[in-house]
């Protein structure tokens, strides 16, 4: 094989260039090349032709190759992508003169200088360049120069150039396409006419989105994919709902009528949401005799927030977690499709976070098909104000995602691009992005006047034909339909819609999800104790490692201790991480799969979990929970990317799609949960009341004031508590290993009967605190207790004058204080579950201390944070007329002090206040900011 045969395209150009240099001056090339060229007879079709035509030197051939390659690479810059006629920016590299060639030269050069299916039909390089221009500078812009993987690059180029997705190779039914576009347009026109000014976020200007989705979803069904998950924002959503998700027109029109259903009175926990946030579901008969489920989950206004949720759902839909070990993810089982706005895609950080998850082992969904519905505007903002990249899709380049821009007024091109997208995803299981460039026929919503801000654009739009009109005209001109057919079709669809409206019974046709009320008392009845004998067997199994596996020396010592943790039923041998490990093991043994993710969860932020062991000699890993002989379901654990918003959104989606799996997300520190506030507010806490979704995701949020500064102190419990209503979640702050064990097991037991998100404030320094460790018997007996009374104080209840109620670490601080023993008139009551508020147990405990004339709520958080504001009315109620006082850090703009010394002093003030009876409790030394004392009730 010579230096020619092994190369193609630009590389052949390089060989020619090198050979030309060699011919002129053999010394000008490197010795290795010289040696090859000395023995090489260049193929007849190249050099001889060029050499025969002495006036076309090899340099010119090289330049011609460069020109053709430039068109492949930069042709998109000259493509006519804007339906409104905006001029492409072009690029000098697309012109022959920039490469020092003329059309005359091109005509004399052979086509096979370039390797392409197109050259088979081309007589010369001029034909190649013409064909490339037609392909790469048309209404489709192939933006692929960032695809580095040779296989992918080659496949894409071939698929584009061999025309396999275009007629005649892959026919498009033109009349069917017109029919679809007519349906899409008629729906919008009808709503415009019937509900003038009502917001619907019309699809008009980007109508081709529906046929694109038809194509992708149709291909997915054919391919036997089980689930397609569609995430989409407001624009065009109603149209997609009606035509892609097949939501009945009657239901949509009933939502426009907005009747007050009787349920609105019956079920006050049902708040509902606006019509363009609703979700939908549909089954399609697919290939391989399987039905494919198409799901469009509901989403909030917060643009792009649904992206990771859809990805998590797709991951869950493609995962089989029914067998022990690691779960098996099969990308052929699910397909995520994300529809983005052209301002939102580059602007919202969650998009980048989500894209960054796409190729990670624990998050891969086998490739997402993205569509930017690009109307060249974001509300009133022009593109130049919305992104710094050349295209709205620029962000995707860094993730090596193929990007194809397509003019939304060219229906055939759009269909072809949709086919390419699906085929690429099928082949490589990677993301693909379609940048569908159109326009917005109306204002941001239908009540807006777009002429205020884009007067010229909207003058063009006013006289711009719709894509249906354009396609209809094409078909009439081609003689494929009669001239009167398009109008007749429109009229038919409009009449159909009118009939639905005329016969509408809004109250009956309005369909709202009916979330089942949880069975009363289910949580209290859950059996969570595990007999000692089973616990010991699980513990023994967890301590096994494969033969020859070398565990780190320090870990080995810890594990040896852990191996004996259950030896004595009444010894406090079970610390927090052992309790967690045993809870997980027993949950797996019960047949419930577990997925645990978060930053550094495998080891644990505080080096406490070590769920993944690393062999010190070979680097091999061992996951004891995946090797557990008793397990009857899969366990997976993944360190997440450094993300909160997308990482949490992903787990939310996973939890919704896999309700039988215990899905847990752990924050590095609870403080960072505010980076995921959108997911917390919009999905986790309100999805049930807005959309009837029933997530049961668990959040582990390390929380405690330990002198590590304002950003390693607080999981912001006040924020969660403020969001608590309608029994929408459980919030716990437990103080013993056994409590945590029972809490996790209770959550697993309730997954299918009483699903609710669970927020757990978890310890940091307390992870290894002896007062937090539990006895094996405490795991083997009993259950989670929402309130823990003070056992010792209870024995002398009549002597108790003050009851301090508190939650979390401060209760351990009090219990461990050297003043505790002397404070014989004090009871310390732990509130372990903050929501649902354990009102009854709290009242019962307070009542038991009849002689106490003072009830105190003590918290380590500043007065304006923590549980105080939320619990106060409940405490007052439970106190039965006795005053309720507060001991807390002073009100503060920041959760905690910035220095360990200031923390220690403030903490001491709190503890001192707790042991100092009555009002004087809070009086601090002059000059210091006192711990406040408040009386409520
Ligand atoms: C996170 C977020 N910020 C702001 C808004 C308000 N908003 C609604 S639509 C919109 C413009 C979106 O533009 P684009 O992404 O191009 O989508 P389009 O509406 O043009 O289809 C804005 C700013 C929002 N919904 N979500």
């Amino acid at each position: 094989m010579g230096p020619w045969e092994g190369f193609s395209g630009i590389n052949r150009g390089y060989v020619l260039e090198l050979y030309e240099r060699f011919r002129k001056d053999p010394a000008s090339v490197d010795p290795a090349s010289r040696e090859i060229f000395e023995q090489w007879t260049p193929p007849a079709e190249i050099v001889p032709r060029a050499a025969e035509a002495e006036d076309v030197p090899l340099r010119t051939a090289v330049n011609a190759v460069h020109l053709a390659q430039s068109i492949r690479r930069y042709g998109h810059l000259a493509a006519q992508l804007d339906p409104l006629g905006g001029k492409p920016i072009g690029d000098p590299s697309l012109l022959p003169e920039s490469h020092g060639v003329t059309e005359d030269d091109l005509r004399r050069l052979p086509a096979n200088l370039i390797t392409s299916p197109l050259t088979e039909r081309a007589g010369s390089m001029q034909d190649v360049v013409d064909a490339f221009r037609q392909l790469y500078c048309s209404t489709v812009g192939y933006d692929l120069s960032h695809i580095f993987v040779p296989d992918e690059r080659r496949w894409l180029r071939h698929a584009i150039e061999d025309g396999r997705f275009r007629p005649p190779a892959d026919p498009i039914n033109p009349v069917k396409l017109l029919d679809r576009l007519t349906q899409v347009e008629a729906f919008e026109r009808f709503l415009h006419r019937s509900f003038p000014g009502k917001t619907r976020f019309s699809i008009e200007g980007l109508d081709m989105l529906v046929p694109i989705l038809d194509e992708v979803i149709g291909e997915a069904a054919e391919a036997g994919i089980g689930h397609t998950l569609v995430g989409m924002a407001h624009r065009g959503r109603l149209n997609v709902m009606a035509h892609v998700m097949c939501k009945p027109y009657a239901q949509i029109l009933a939502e426009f009528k907005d009747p007050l259903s009787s349920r609105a009175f019956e079920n006050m926990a049902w708040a509902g949401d606006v019509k363009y946030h609703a979700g939908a579901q549909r089954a399609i008969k697919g290939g391989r005799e399987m039905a494919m489920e198409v799901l469009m989950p509901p989403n909030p206004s917060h643009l792009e927030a649904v992206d990771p949720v859809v990805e998590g759902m797709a991951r869950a839909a493609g995962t089989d977690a029914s067998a022990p070990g690691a779960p098996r993810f099969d990308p052929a089982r699910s397909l995520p499709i994300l529809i983005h706005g052209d301002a939102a895609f580059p602007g919202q950080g969650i998009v980048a976070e989500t894209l960054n998850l796409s190729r990670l082992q624990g998050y891969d969904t086998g490739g997402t098909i993205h569509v930017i519905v690009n109307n060249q505007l974001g509300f009133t903002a022009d593109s130049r104000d919305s992104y710094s990249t050349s295209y709205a899709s620029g962000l995707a380049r860094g993730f090596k995602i193929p990007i194809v821009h397509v003019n939304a007024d060219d229906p055939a091109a759009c269909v072809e691009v949709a086919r390419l997208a699906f085929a690429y995803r099928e082949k490589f299981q990677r993301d693909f992005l379609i940048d569908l460039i159109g326009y917005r026929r109306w204002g941001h919503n239908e009540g807006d006047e777009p002429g205020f801000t884009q007067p010229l654009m909207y003058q063009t739009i006013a006289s711009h034909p719709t894509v249906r009109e354009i396609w209809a005209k094409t078909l009439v001109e081609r003689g494929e339909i009669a001239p009167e057919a398009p109008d007749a079709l429109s009229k038919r669809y409009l009449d159909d819609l009118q009939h639905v409206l005329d016969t509408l019974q809004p109250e009956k046709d309005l369909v709202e999800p009916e979330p089942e009320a949880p069975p009363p008392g289910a949580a209290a009845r859950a059996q969570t104790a595990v007999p000692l004998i089973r616990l010991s067997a699980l513990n023994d199994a967890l301590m096994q490692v494969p033969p020859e596996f070398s565990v780190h020396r320090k870990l080995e010592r810890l594990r040896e201790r852990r191996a004996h943790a259950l030896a004595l039923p009444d010894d406090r041998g079970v610390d927090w991480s052992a309790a967690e490990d045993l809870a997980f093991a027993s949950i797996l043994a019960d047949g419930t799969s577990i997925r645990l993710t978060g930053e550094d969860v495998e080891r644990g932020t505080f080096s406490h979990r070590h769920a993944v062991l690393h062999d010190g000699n070979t680097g091999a890993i061992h996951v004891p929970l995946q090797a557990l002989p008793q397990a009857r379901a899969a366990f997976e654990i993944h360190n997440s990317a450094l993300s909160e918003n997308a990482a949490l959104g992903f787990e939310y989606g996973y939890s919704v799609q896999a309700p039988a799996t215990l899905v847990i997300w752990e924050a590095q520190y609870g403080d960072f949960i505010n980076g995921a506030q959108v997911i917390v507010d919009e999905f986790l806490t309100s999805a049930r009341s807005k959309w009837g979704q029933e997530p049961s995701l668990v959040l582990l949020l390390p929380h405690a004031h330990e002198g590590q500064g304002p950003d390693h102190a607080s999981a912001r419990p006040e924020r969660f508590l403020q969001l608590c209503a309608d029994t929408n979640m459980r919030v716990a702050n437990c103080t013993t290993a056994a409590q945590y064990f029972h809490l996790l097991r209770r959550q697993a037991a309730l997954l299918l009967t009483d699903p609710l998100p669970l927020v757990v404030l978890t310890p940091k320094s307390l992870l290894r605190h002896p007062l937090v460790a539990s006895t094996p018997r405490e795991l083997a007996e009993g259950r989670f207790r929402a309130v823990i009374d003070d056992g010792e104080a209870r024995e002398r209840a009549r002597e108790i004058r003050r009851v301090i109620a508190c939650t979390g670490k401060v209760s351990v601080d009090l219990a461990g204080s050297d003043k505790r023993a002397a404070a014989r008139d004090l009871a310390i009551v732990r509130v372990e579950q903050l929501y649902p508020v354990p009102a009854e147990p709290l009242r019962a405990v307070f009542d038991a201390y009849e002689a106490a004339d003072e009830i105190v709520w003590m918290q380590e958080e500043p007065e304006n944070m923590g549980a105080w504001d939320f619990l106060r009315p409940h405490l007052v109620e439970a106190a039965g007329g006795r005053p309720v006082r507060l001991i807390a850090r002073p009100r503060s703009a920041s959760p905690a002090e910035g220095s360990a010394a200031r923390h220690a002093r403030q903490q001491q003030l709190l503890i001192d206040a707790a042991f100092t009876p009555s009002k004087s409790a809070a009086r601090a030394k002059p000059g210091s900011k006192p711990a406040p004392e408040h009386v409520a009730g």
Side-chain angles (χ1 to χ4, degrees):
M1 195 155 69
W4 184 249
E5 287 74 12
F7 295 106
S8 62
I10 197 95
N11 296 325
R12 282 193 171 187
Y14 175 71
V15 173
L16 280 179
E17 191 175 350
L18 206 61
Y19 183 66
E20 179 67 1
R21 266 176 29 215
F22 164 80
R23 267 200 332 143
K24 286 190 183 141
D25 175 11
S28 68
V29 302
D30 62 282
S33 303
R34 195 162 53 237
E35 198 181 318
I36 294 170
F37 287 142
E38 274 162 357
Q39 295 162 27
W40 186 48
T41 313
E45 78 268 20
I46 312 151
V47 180
R49 254 174 95 165
E52 269 163 27
E54 269 301 304
D55 52 330
V56 186
L58 279 178
R59 176 75 249 169
T60 310
V62 170
N63 293 346
V65 169
H66 284 164
L67 170 65
Q69 292 292 13
S70 295
I71 297 173
R72 269 178 171 160
R73 221 176 149 82
Y74 303 117
H76 61 91
L77 296 171
Q80 187 53 57
L81 300 173
D82 177 7
L84 300 179
K87 286 279 150 277
I89 57 169
D91 191 87
S93 74
L94 302 172
L95 305 171
E97 53 268 36
S98 303
H99 297 275
V101 278
T102 63
E103 294 203 346
D104 204 28
D105 296 333
L106 294 172
R107 269 192 296 276
R108 275 183 289 163
L109 284 165
N112 63 358
L113 286 177
I114 283 283
T115 308
S116 161
L118 280 169
T119 58
E120 287 160 18
R121 296 185 293 276
S124 70
M125 277 302 281
Q126 179 65 54
D127 294 340
V128 173
V129 166
D130 287 347
F132 275 15
R133 285 227 173 87
Q134 221 176 5
L135 195 55
Y136 288 102
C137 310
S138 61
T139 47
V140 182
Y142 297 98
D143 187 352
L144 305 170
S145 57
H146 53 285
I147 305 301
F148 291 164
V149 182
D151 260 6
E152 292 184 29
R153 209 170 45 212
R154 264 195 301 274
W155 185 91
L156 282 163
R157 184 176 298 159
H158 231 257
I160 292 162
E161 292 178 11
D162 71 9
R164 73 183 78 160
F165 299 118
R166 275 190 297 278
D170 193 353
I172 293 171
N173 182 332
V175 179
K176 218 171 131 199
L177 185 52
L178 177 65
D179 189 78
R180 195 56 156 160
L181 284 173
T182 309
Q183 223 177 7
V184 169
E185 186 185 295
F187 179 72
E188 298 290 353
R189 276 176 55 197
F190 180 78
L191 290 177
H192 202 73
R193 196 174 73 189
S194 308
F195 302 96
K198 273 215 175 176
T199 297
R200 65 178 198 279
F201 296 119
S202 146
I203 202 171
E204 290 157 283
L206 286 158
D207 310 43
M208 274 309 295
L209 176 63
V210 169
I212 285 177
L213 290 175
D214 287 344
E215 198 65 34
V216 172
I217 292 173
E219 298 265 6
E222 274 295 296
I225 285 175
H227 286 84
T228 290
L229 295 305
V230 185
M232 92 170 280
H234 53 293
R235 180 81 47 213
R237 189 179 178 103
L238 291 180
N239 213 306
V240 169
M241 283 282 201
H243 300 121
V244 178
M245 304 306 297
C246 300
K247 181 168 173 171
Y249 283 153
Q251 209 175 312
I252 296 175
L253 296 182
E255 286 168 7
F256 271 89
K257 289 275 186 189
D258 198 11
L260 195 55
S261 74
S262 51
R263 287 195 53 238
F265 297 104
E266 286 160 20
N267 185 356
M268 298 310 280
W270 171 248
D273 200 349
V274 294
K275 48 192 165 295
Y276 44 85
H277 289 169
Q281 189 164 345
R282 140 186 207 209
I284 298 183
K285 212 167 152 22
R288 298 190 214 148
E289 302 297 303
M290 280 167 41
M292 179 175 79
E293 196 172 8
V294 187
L295 283 167
M296 183 191 283
N299 62 258
S301 281
H302 296 60
L303 293 165
E304 307 289 343
V306 79
D307 297 0
V309 175
V310 167
E311 295 296 333
M313 292 175 78
R315 173 78 180 199
T319 297
D320 176 4
S322 61
R328 278 170 294 279
F329 171 69
D330 177 1
R333 286 174 53 172
S334 62
L335 166 70
I337 302 175
L338 290 180
I339 294 151
H340 311 272
D342 54 304
F345 184 82
Q348 292 293 304
I350 198 165
V351 175
E353 285 188 32
T354 306
L355 291 177
N356 189 45
L357 297 178
S358 63
R359 295 193 183 189
L360 305 181
Q361 206 201 342
Y363 298 85
D364 185 2
T365 52
T368 301
I369 295 182
H370 302 266
V371 184
I372 296 183
V373 285
N374 187 343
N375 54 26
Q376 312 185 55
L377 290 173
F379 213 136
T380 67
D382 293 314
S383 301
R384 64 172 176 272
D385 297 321
S386 294
Y387 45 89
S388 297
T389 43
S390 307
Y391 292 102
S393 54
L395 176 69
R397 288 177 71 93
F399 294 94
K400 310 286 174 267
I401 297 170
I403 300 166
V404 180
H405 314 282
V406 59
N407 184 319
D409 271 1
D410 184 341
C414 291
V415 170
E416 179 191 327
V417 170
R419 290 170 175 170
L420 177 71
F422 184 80
Y424 171 86
R425 194 268 179 188
E426 270 278 273
K427 171 94 182 136
F428 296 104
Q429 275 138 29
R430 299 268 192 239
D431 289 24
F432 191 102
L433 191 148
I434 301 170
D435 180 18
L436 178 66
I437 302 179
Y439 57 92
R440 193 182 70 193
R441 185 151 293 274
W442 313 105
H444 170 67
N445 62 52
E446 287 61 35
D448 261 358
E449 171 51 70
F452 289 156
T453 48
Q454 277 79 24
L456 301 183
M457 185 186 215
Y458 275 83
Q459 275 170 31
T460 308
I461 290 172
S463 58
H464 189 76
T466 68
V467 66
R468 178 198 65 85
E469 287 166 345
I470 294 170
W471 189 239
K473 189 159 170 269
T474 308
L475 298 196
V476 171
E477 280 167 8
R478 281 201 221 151
E480 300 199 39
I481 53 169
E484 60 283 3
D487 285 350
L489 201 56
S490 285
K491 183 171 175 323
R492 207 186 83 207
Y493 281 122
L494 286 167
D495 288 351
D496 284 354
L497 280 155
Q498 190 61 51
H499 176 72
V500 176
L501 187 61
D502 291 344
T503 54
L504 197 70
Q505 294 176 278
E507 281 214 23
K508 230 176 105 222
D509 291 321
L510 188 74
V511 179
E512 291 181 325
E514 302 208 15
E516 289 280 306
R525 282 196 306 274
Q527 294 294 328
T528 56
V530 179
L532 266 179
I533 191 154
R534 264 186 70 202
L535 282 175
S536 294
L538 290 170
N539 199 47
D540 290 348
L542 290 169
M543 292 305 107
Q544 302 302 316
V545 290
E548 312 297 322
F549 192 92
S550 162
V551 179
H552 193 281
R553 197 167 35 84
K554 287 188 192 161
L555 278 184
E556 196 51 62
R557 278 207 300 276
L558 286 174
R559 286 167 56 79
E560 268 163 31
R561 231 179 298 150
R562 165 76 190 278
H564 300 106
L566 300 170
L568 299 169
D570 295 310
D571 262 18
R572 300 199 163 277
V574 183
D575 67 7
W576 192 274
S577 61
E580 180 186 88
D581 211 12
L582 290 166
F584 288 165
S586 60
I587 290 167
L588 294 174
D590 290 344
T592 299
S593 54
I594 300 174
R595 174 178 162 94
L596 169 59
T597 62
E599 288 153 26
D600 307 290
V601 290
E602 294 183 6
R603 187 202 71 168
T605 298
F606 310 100
S607 199
H608 62 289
R609 182 172 289 123
H610 298 288
V612 178
L613 301 172
H614 297 256
D615 186 308
N617 299 324
T618 65
I621 61 166
H622 173 66
V623 183
L625 285 162
Q626 287 177 346
L628 192 73
Q630 294 93 330
R632 293 197 292 121
F635 174 76
E636 74 176 320
I637 181 163
H638 302 284
N639 289 336
S640 76
L642 212 171
S643 150
E644 283 79 26
N645 215 10
L648 186 62
F650 192 99
E651 301 312 322
Y652 175 87
Y654 197 106
S655 143
V656 168
Q657 187 66 24
T661 296
L662 181 64
V663 185
I664 307 174
W665 178 81
E666 182 174 70
Q668 184 107 74
Y669 283 82
D671 310 69
F672 304 115
I673 186 67
N674 56 12
Q677 198 66 48
V678 174
I679 300 295
V680 171
D681 290 344
E682 296 296 326
F683 291 91
L684 193 76
T685 60
S686 59
R688 192 181 175 114
S689 126
K690 291 190 295 192
W691 312 318
Q693 260 180 351
E694 296 190 327
S696 51
L697 178 62
V698 180
L699 268 55
L700 302 181
L701 307 177
H703 171 87
H705 285 58
E706 299 182 346
Q708 286 182 288
D711 297 322
H712 295 85
S714 176
R716 305 282 190 173
E718 61 281 354
R719 299 233 172 112
F720 286 100
L721 294 173
Q722 186 203 37
L723 298 168
C724 287
D726 304 328
T727 318
N728 60 341
M729 61 178 141
R730 302 185 177 100
V731 182
N733 187 6
C734 41
T735 55
T736 73
Q739 280 281 89
Y740 181 48
F741 173 87
H742 290 296
L743 183 66
L744 288 174
R745 286 189 45 78
R746 184 180 78 171
Q747 182 72 1
L750 296 176
L751 283 177
L752 294 176
T753 52
D754 188 5
L756 283 180
L758 169 65
V759 178
V760 194
L761 306 179
T762 57
K764 295 177 287 184
S765 67
L766 291 194
L767 285 167
R768 299 174 175 86
H769 197 291
L771 286 180
V772 169
S774 296
T775 67
R777 197 183 297 286
E778 285 168 324
L779 273 55
E781 294 169 7
R783 49 166 50 104
F784 177 77
R785 290 177 291 162
V787 175
I788 301 182
D789 196 358
D790 185 332
E792 286 176 26
R794 190 64 174 269
E795 283 169 17
R796 48 174 197 282
R798 272 198 246 130
E799 293 171 39
I800 300 300
R801 295 286 170 269
R802 305 180 75 205
V803 178
I804 295 192
C806 49
T807 187
K809 176 173 171 288
V810 78
S811 62
V812 180
D813 290 347
L814 288 178
S817 164
D818 50 13
K819 295 186 177 158
R820 175 71 189 101
R824 301 209 31 98
D825 61 348
L826 184 71
I828 299 164
V829 172
R830 300 178 184 199
V831 181
E832 304 268 301
Q833 178 173 295
L834 297 167
Y835 189 79
V837 177
E840 273 311 306
L842 209 51
R843 174 185 278 278
V845 170
F846 289 171
D847 283 354
Y849 298 108
E850 290 178 83
D853 49 19
E854 209 182 14
I855 306 285
V856 176
W857 174 254
M858 177 168 179
Q859 64 179 33
E860 55 187 350
E861 298 87 0
E863 181 193 344
N864 54 325
M865 299 175 191
W868 169 240
D869 276 340
F870 176 76
L871 279 185
R872 185 178 182 155
H874 301 281
L875 293 165
V876 167
E877 176 88 22
R882 290 170 283 186
V884 178
R885 302 177 195 281
L886 168 72
I887 297 174
R889 279 180 164 72
R891 299 186 81 83
S892 169
S894 150
E897 304 80 8
S899 93
R902 283 167 57 108
H903 159 80
R905 192 189 59 169
Q906 196 66 47
Q907 197 73 6
Q908 196 53 53
L909 274 175
L910 282 183
I911 303 294
D912 291 350
F915 289 108
T916 311
S918 81
K919 290 180 194 161
S920 61
R923 244 165 253 143
K925 295 182 187 107
S928 68
K929 231 177 164 185
E933 184 187 18
H934 291 274
V935 184

